[in-house]
Amino acid sequence: MKKYLSFFRVRFSTGLQYRMAAVTALTTQFFWGLLECIIFKVLMESNSVAMPMSYSAVVSYVWLKEAFFALFNTWAADNEIFGMIVDGGIAYEFCRPVSVYTMWFSRSVGSRMAEAALRCGPVLLGALLVPAPYKISPPSSLFAFFMFLLTMILAMGVTVSFCMIVYMLCFFTISPVGWRVLLTGAVELLSGAVIPLPFIPQPYRQVIELLPFASMQNIPLRAYSGDLTGDHLLPAVLLQVFWFVVMTTIGVLLCKRAERRIVIQGG
Amino acid sequence: MKRIYSSAHLYGRYISVILRSTMQYKFSFFLMVTGRFILAFNGFLGILFLFSGFSTIREYTYGDILLCFSVIQMSFAFAECIGSGLKALSGMIRRGEFDRILLRPRSPILQVLGTKFELGRLGPMITSVLTLIIGILKSQAEWNFGKALVLAAMIAGGTVLFLALFILGASFCFFSIEDGGILNILTYGAKEHGKYPVDIYGKRFLQVCTYIIPYAMIQYYPLQYLLGKTEHWQYGLYPLASIVFLAVCYLIWLLGLKNYKSCGN
Amino acid sequence: MIVMDNVCKSYKVAKRNAGLKEACKALFHRETEEIQALKDVSFQIADGEMVGYIGPNGAGKSSTIKILSGILTPDRGTCSIDGRIPWKNRVEHVKQIGVVFGQRSQLWWDIPVVDSFELIKEIYSITTPAYKDSLEELTSLLQLEEILKTPTRQLSLGQRMRCEIAASLLHRPRLLFLDEPTIGLDAVSKLAVRDFIKKMNTEHGTTVLLTTHDMQDIEAIADRVILIGRGKVLLDGTLQDMKQLVKQENMEKKAEEGKNFKENEYIQADKYVEENANGEDKERFDNLDQVVAKLYRQLDIL
């Protein structure tokens, strides 16, 4: 545990050193959030049709998405791990006396959390300081906040285990970069990164909500505002657990195969 | 004149070398194109789904928005295809490869552009062409030859504008060891949020996009002309302003280059 | 003719302290520190000379090379090469020089070597007959026939280095800067590279400035050595001069310490020098690495 904590610290302080990068990320996330909020407001005003989510729920969704971007981003996978897959350095990883899956998994979690910790504060502060309709509201209840934290951890687990599968699949192909773009690209819409999933019309929405990608950021960001509550929340959490277990199992199996292949073919 | 010809000739040679290299990794290339196509398609689906519940957004119809979306996507795809060398400049400087460029008797910017030509960046083009067709058919515009020219100018102007921003971002690397990622807000931001005409975001935002970073020149103003929402036919000429912006960015690049030569890396 | 006259160059480097607290502080205020890379560096190199430019890491070697190649402007001092000021007219200047970096490649990774050469022909606007001549000569001198059609990525390090050198010489520069050209090469390739450089010098009168850590390169190629340390030229002469300097220092030290000579960690090197000073065993003084190591320590420039 101590090992991972020190890893977290290292990540955190390297993150701070690149101050331009930090400022960039913050500004990006802040403006992204603000512009998105504006779009939804204009949409709401231009049409009398009922919104599938309350406006304050949309605003919370958008700001939390930007604040915790690092936790749920399937797009920015760990470049060091990718580097190892591309240049063959992965073979050395398998020589170490630890489980590669556990090691990579905790590494990804560590770097995601460090980055999120670095960024969520200022972004949320910005979200609190913007004027009224765009301002983030507090969690709908203490219970909602608790569920937000719980489902956020689960969502990060699902996201990381998905990325682990991507790494492993990339290992088996000759063009990891291409696969990475393809696989991560496909997830964007399905995970609710483009628009919140409730905005997707039926019957698509019903299907999409069952997919593992909907168990990522979609759940915690909606739990916070109380958009996802009561009868709908429990199945969603169970689904998250289910997908986490399934994807981790697949990842571990793939990892074992990769290991066997390295032992036999020398990488 | 001779210099321009010889530069163009050299650039052609660079591209031919890069394409030959790319084609050695055909499968990877195919995946890249598909992946980027899907990514851009996600953006299209986002708009499609949003508008399935809503009919208009501040008097723009679904078709109008798609027109705007495709112009921005297309410009960005062209600019990224040509200008990805500029985006890789910070890495080149860190690895010392930029010194090699300065050791050659050619314009540095030509050589930087010549390091990369990412045809795979054209993946979003599939989406853009598709959305452009829907946009042309479904928007409020009544088409004629002049309007078609303006549409082409919007795409060309957008490409120039994004290239200028890439140059600006690359110039940053000459002043700081950290890369010009800050300018990604301007490029990726414009790609993401420029799918809606900028006036949607408010008056002040429109002013910024007119006088500071002239997005509105290739997007909002000519679009007003296309959709017949304005009396000013001059709006159709506004995309030309992107050339002025490019010139300004190039001056900053030259300044940066001078700074690099006096500070080293 | 290269003339460097009192060239000075300093860099600003950001100070970076360890620790989370310091990192937070640095977010708002960053201290910088000035480092003098070159202090009044002066030397002249005549046409057709072959000069070794040595010094420990960070001594200022690459800053000098960069100034000479026109990609860095000095703070003070003048520098002229055949009457040109390198950084004033970069394009004209770089047409006349060739630079080989041992650790970096200038060839395009995925295409055959000869295609890279053709592109370089285009970049330098070399005329076709001149290009053919150069290519023919370089191919035979560096034995490239077999590998010209191979993509760079499939070449061994030695093969690649030979191609790198050829690429830097296609435009027939009158001046050649070599930055660690033999790093990582096997014995055969090293010899081939050294032979080739000497040949270019005798046949075309190419002026060569060589920086390296491999003292055998210097011994094989350079008639003259310039030693730089902490940004200053400390010695400009032949290898023999360099050995002499070590010897002298050593004798003085011996005289000082008298017979109570204490054994220290450099005893081996001292012994060599002592024996050599007595003229007993000239051969053993040939271990140049030890001579140089000793010299660096003496001058306190590490």
Side-chain angles (χ1 to χ4, degrees):
Chain A
M1 196 57 212
K2 215 174 165 186
K3 203 166 62 186
Y4 298 125
L5 213 65
S6 72
F7 177 74
F8 179 83
R9 277 180 60 128
V10 169
R11 279 277 157 159
F12 194 74
S13 50
T14 11
L16 275 178
Q17 270 181 10
Y18 290 92
R19 60 175 165 177
M20 186 88 108
V23 171
T24 303
L26 287 181
T27 331
T28 313
Q29 250 108 47
F30 179 74
F31 279 107
W32 248 241
L34 190 61
L35 294 180
E36 250 180 280
C37 288
I38 296 177
I39 281 293
F40 279 105
K41 177 151 175 292
V42 177
L43 258 181
M44 196 178 66
E45 284 169 355
S46 308
N47 299 272
S48 49
V49 193
M51 297 258 282
M53 290 167 88
S54 74
Y55 185 64
S56 77
V58 174
V59 168
S60 311
Y61 186 99
V62 169
W63 284 121
L64 293 173
K65 180 177 90 177
E66 297 304 333
F68 296 101
F69 178 72
L71 291 186
F72 308 122
N73 176 13
T74 46
W75 179 244
D78 191 323
N79 277 322
E80 276 173 52
I81 296 182
F82 255 100
M84 280 190 284
I85 294 171
V86 176
D87 68 19
I90 185 180
Y92 295 105
E93 291 282 294
F94 280 105
C95 294
R96 300 208 178 124
V98 281
S99 145
V100 171
Y101 191 89
T102 322
M103 188 167 62
W104 282 7
F105 195 96
S106 46
R107 223 184 112 122
S108 304
V109 169
S111 59
R112 273 170 193 274
M113 285 186 19
E115 209 163 311
L118 200 66
R119 288 173 188 183
C120 71
V123 172
L124 288 178
L125 189 71
L128 278 170
L129 291 178
V130 289
Y134 310 127
K135 191 176 151 181
I136 188 171
S137 21
S140 67
S141 65
L142 201 66
F143 175 71
F145 184 66
F146 172 73
M147 288 313 284
F148 164 67
L149 291 181
L150 176 76
T151 52
M152 188 155 74
I153 294 168
L154 281 169
M156 182 176 68
V158 175
T159 311
V160 173
S161 59
F162 169 72
C163 285
M164 290 295 293
I165 295 180
V166 175
Y167 296 142
M168 293 303 160
L169 285 180
C170 287
F171 171 75
F172 289 102
T173 75
I174 47 161
S175 52
V177 189
W179 274 113
R180 177 184 168 188
V181 173
L182 188 71
L183 289 171
T184 50
V187 179
E188 284 268 289
L189 184 81
L190 302 177
S191 67
V194 182
I195 49 172
L197 293 186
F199 282 87
I200 293 176
Q202 298 290 11
Y204 308 108
R205 180 179 162 188
Q206 223 165 6
V207 181
I208 289 174
E209 284 194 329
L210 289 175
L211 297 178
F213 315 111
S215 289
M216 296 175 179
Q217 54 185 328
N218 172 46
I219 309 288
L221 303 192
R222 286 166 59 202
Y224 175 91
S225 63
D227 182 66
L228 196 64
T229 182
D231 292 350
H232 298 285
L233 189 54
L234 186 66
V237 175
L238 290 178
L239 204 60
Q240 275 188 307
V241 175
F242 170 74
W243 280 122
F244 177 65
V245 172
V246 170
M247 304 239 274
T248 312
T249 314
I250 295 175
V252 170
L253 288 178
L254 283 172
C255 189
K256 285 221 170 97
R257 280 197 65 164
E259 191 168 4
R260 213 175 308 142
R261 199 165 104 158
I262 283 180
V263 173
I264 294 166
Q265 301 179 353
Chain B
M1 199 62 215
K2 205 182 154 198
R3 232 182 93 195
I4 294 175
Y5 172 76
S6 119
S7 297
H9 185 69
L10 179 61
Y11 186 63
R13 291 297 294 262
Y14 277 133
I15 291 179
S16 112
V17 164
I18 294 165
L19 290 187
R20 262 182 292 158
S21 309
T22 312
M23 283 308 126
Q24 292 186 21
Y25 307 96
K26 279 198 198 77
F27 185 61
S28 182
F29 173 76
F30 168 76
L31 288 177
M32 287 287 220
V33 172
T34 321
R36 295 217 172 91
F37 159 67
I38 292 176
L39 254 178
F41 201 73
N42 280 338
F44 164 61
L45 286 180
I47 296 179
L48 181 73
F49 287 150
L50 271 189
F51 277 82
S52 66
F54 305 94
S55 55
T56 58
I57 178 166
R58 194 162 285 168
E59 283 147 39
Y60 292 105
T61 65
Y62 165 64
D64 301 342
I65 298 294
L66 277 192
L67 203 59
C68 196
F69 171 78
S70 66
V71 165
I72 292 291
Q73 288 282 326
M74 225 179 237
S75 314
F76 192 77
F78 277 131
E80 248 195 341
C81 171
I82 303 167
S84 25
L86 290 164
K87 290 201 296 180
L89 186 70
S90 76
M92 287 179 70
I93 291 178
R94 234 178 301 120
R95 291 188 297 271
E97 290 163 15
F98 189 68
D99 289 342
R100 174 57 70 189
I101 279 178
L102 290 179
L103 287 172
R104 288 180 168 155
R106 287 301 183 129
S107 137
I109 204 163
L110 176 71
Q111 293 184 67
V112 172
L113 288 176
T115 54
K116 282 197 172 177
F117 184 81
E118 294 193 348
L119 212 55
R121 295 279 175 194
L122 295 179
M125 203 57 92
I126 308 168
T127 311
S128 317
V129 172
L130 188 81
T131 48
L132 187 67
I133 295 171
I134 305 178
I136 289 173
L137 294 176
K138 290 208 163 175
S139 76
Q140 302 172 48
E142 286 159 26
W143 295 100
N144 57 36
F145 182 67
K147 285 191 176 177
L149 271 186
V150 170
L151 184 62
M154 285 166 78
I155 296 166
T159 309
V160 170
L161 180 67
F162 281 123
L163 272 177
L165 287 171
F166 287 145
I167 292 175
L168 196 63
S171 311
F172 252 70
C173 313
F174 294 133
F175 297 104
S176 158
I177 45 158
E178 292 172 33
D179 60 6
I182 189 104
L183 283 156
N184 284 350
I185 303 176
L186 300 179
T187 51
Y188 287 98
K191 191 191 78 165
E192 264 321 292
H193 302 288
K195 58 191 172 198
Y196 301 106
V198 288
D199 62 320
I200 286 187
Y201 299 105
K203 210 171 185 179
R204 202 156 325 144
F205 198 78
L206 176 63
Q207 281 166 347
V208 171
C209 294
T210 306
Y211 300 109
I212 300 177
I213 314 282
Y215 296 121
M217 298 297 184
I218 55 115
Q219 191 229 34
Y220 169 72
Y221 294 109
L223 193 70
Q224 300 304 303
Y225 173 73
L226 289 187
L227 302 180
K229 292 187 175 208
T230 175
E231 307 284 291
H232 303 286
W233 60 268
Q234 298 95 320
Y235 279 10
L237 298 177
Y238 277 22
L240 292 174
S242 58
I243 297 171
V244 179
F245 189 67
L246 178 70
V248 173
C249 292
Y250 186 64
L251 282 179
I252 295 173
W253 161 272
L254 291 179
L255 211 71
L257 202 59
K258 204 172 157 200
N259 183 67
Y260 176 81
K261 287 211 288 191
S262 70
C263 293
N265 49 334
Chain C
M1 176 84 167
I2 301 175
V3 183
M4 286 273 273
D5 198 12
N6 289 315
V7 170
C8 297
K9 181 76 205 170
S10 61
Y11 300 108
K12 271 199 184 122
V13 180
K15 257 191 198 167
R16 205 163 265 181
N17 300 320
L20 202 59
K21 216 175 138 194
E22 291 297 322
C24 288
K25 256 195 221 159
L27 207 57
F28 304 102
H29 177 71
R30 197 161 276 180
E31 284 175 54
T32 54
E33 191 172 22
E34 227 183 43
I35 291 184
Q36 279 264 311
L38 297 177
K39 293 176 213 158
D40 292 318
V41 170
S42 306
F43 57 78
Q44 296 194 358
I45 297 173
D47 286 345
E49 256 193 293
M50 296 215 273
V51 178
Y53 196 53
I54 63 169
N57 292 323
K61 295 191 301 280
S62 60
S63 295
T64 313
I65 297 279
K66 280 183 180 174
I67 288 173
L68 288 173
S69 3
I71 58 182
L72 192 65
T73 43
D75 300 335
R76 261 178 297 131
T78 54
C79 166
S80 96
I81 295 177
D82 295 333
R84 295 182 308 267
I85 297 171
W87 59 90
K88 281 276 163 64
N89 193 346
R90 186 186 65 84
V91 170
E92 279 313 306
H93 177 64
V94 297
K95 275 185 187 165
Q96 309 295 331
I97 61 170
V99 185
V100 177
F101 293 112
Q103 313 211 48
R104 289 180 220 152
S105 176
Q106 61 167 319
L107 301 167
W108 282 258
W109 198 240
D110 288 313
I111 56 168
V113 175
V114 69
D115 289 7
S116 285
F117 286 178
E118 300 248 327
L119 201 53
I120 289 169
K121 162 183 185 273
E122 217 63 54
I123 292 171
Y124 282 90
S125 318
I126 309 171
T127 61
T128 308
Y131 169 75
K132 271 192 179 152
D133 277 0
S134 299
L135 185 60
E136 215 166 280
E137 189 194 21
L138 292 167
T139 308
S140 70
L141 283 178
L142 287 163
Q143 285 137 35
L144 304 178
E145 307 87 9
E146 313 262 299
I147 52 179
L148 270 183
K149 296 245 161 70
T150 322
T152 309
R153 69 181 133 91
Q154 291 170 10
L155 296 180
S156 72
L157 192 60
Q159 291 172 323
R160 212 189 74 204
M161 189 42 73
R162 268 149 51 205
C163 295
E164 295 281 345
I165 292 175
S168 297
L169 286 168
L170 281 170
H171 60 294
R172 293 206 184 266
R174 309 199 343 105
L175 195 62
L176 182 60
F177 298 135
L178 298 153
D179 189 12
E180 303 196 43
T182 57
I183 194 159
L185 300 191
D186 61 63
V188 177
S189 306
K190 268 187 191 176
L191 291 178
V193 167
R194 288 175 194 151
D195 275 350
F196 170 78
I197 296 169
K198 277 192 275 188
K199 251 184 210 152
M200 285 310 282
N201 178 261
T202 39
E203 282 173 25
H204 297 284
T206 313
T207 312
V208 176
L209 184 66
L210 166 79
T211 70
T212 182
H213 290 297
D214 187 333
M215 292 314 295
Q216 286 171 336
D217 285 349
I218 300 281
E219 200 175 26
I221 298 169
D223 321 311
R224 178 180 156 198
V225 184
I226 297 175
L227 170 71
I228 187 173
R230 294 190 200 279
K232 280 184 175 158
V233 173
L234 298 171
L235 185 140
D236 186 348
T238 60
L239 264 182
Q240 212 47 51
D241 293 340
M242 207 171 77
K243 290 180 188 171
Q244 201 61 44
L245 191 70
V246 178
K247 258 187 271 179
Q248 256 174 21
E249 287 268 333
N250 202 54
M251 298 294 280
E252 277 163 24
K253 202 163 137 199
K254 279 280 158 60
E256 249 172 55
E257 289 178 356
K259 285 190 175 177
N260 301 326
F261 174 63
K262 263 187 179 174
E263 286 199 11
N264 61 27
E265 53 180 310
Y266 314 133
I267 187 81
Q268 276 306 104
D270 282 341
K271 252 186 191 157
Y272 282 142
V273 177
E274 188 187 2
E275 281 164 8
N276 188 271
N278 298 335
E280 281 174 20
D281 191 355
K282 269 212 152 63
E283 291 303 306
R284 290 170 77 179
F285 200 74
D286 282 346
N287 188 334
L288 273 170
D289 284 340
Q290 290 212 358
V291 172
V292 170
K294 176 83 185 142
L295 190 58
Y296 285 178
R297 285 193 193 111
Q298 266 179 15
L299 296 169
D300 189 29
I301 53 174
L302 280 174

